Amino acid sequence: GKDQSVFMEGEMLEEVANRLFNSCWFFLLYCHNTGFNPESYIEAIIADFDLPFTYEDVYKQYQEDVSKGIKLRIK
């Protein structure tokens, strides 16, 4: 079949990478205190998209935000 890949560079790549970082961060927050560890799933997302950050980068940001007392509320 046809090559279904999409090529991105510059600002578009940066925007997609930022959105995926935030998605991974939110996944960690969503799983907070549930007993579920999403690490392997987040690592798979990072690998699938060959993103310019690591699980450790996302986890560090998550830990910093949780230590500051971040709270999410749905209204």
Side-chain angles (χ1 to χ4, degrees):
K2 287 184 172 181
D3 181 12
Q4 298 294 319
S5 61
V6 175
F7 180 75
M8 289 182 284
E9 63 183 359
E11 287 182 29
M12 181 186 285
L13 178 59
E14 187 175 333
E15 181 65 27
V16 169
N18 285 337
R19 288 181 182 192
L20 286 166
F21 181 95
N22 289 335
S23 297
C24 293
W25 171 89
F26 187 78
F27 193 12
L28 279 167
L29 200 59
Y30 181 78
C31 296
H32 185 75
N33 284 338
T34 64
F36 178 77
N37 183 351
E39 180 176 358
S40 61
Y41 297 95
I42 292 172
E43 286 179 336
I45 291 168
I46 292 168
D48 284 349
F49 287 93
D50 193 24
L51 294 169
F53 56 84
T54 65
Y55 172 79
E56 288 75 21
D57 296 329
V58 178
Y59 191 75
K60 181 180 176 189
Q61 184 64 55
Y62 154 78
Q63 282 186 311
E64 287 176 12
D65 293 335
V66 167
S67 72
K68 293 176 190 172
I70 191 166
K71 293 182 175 52
L72 296 179
R73 295 180 191 184
I74 308 286
K75 290 186 176 189

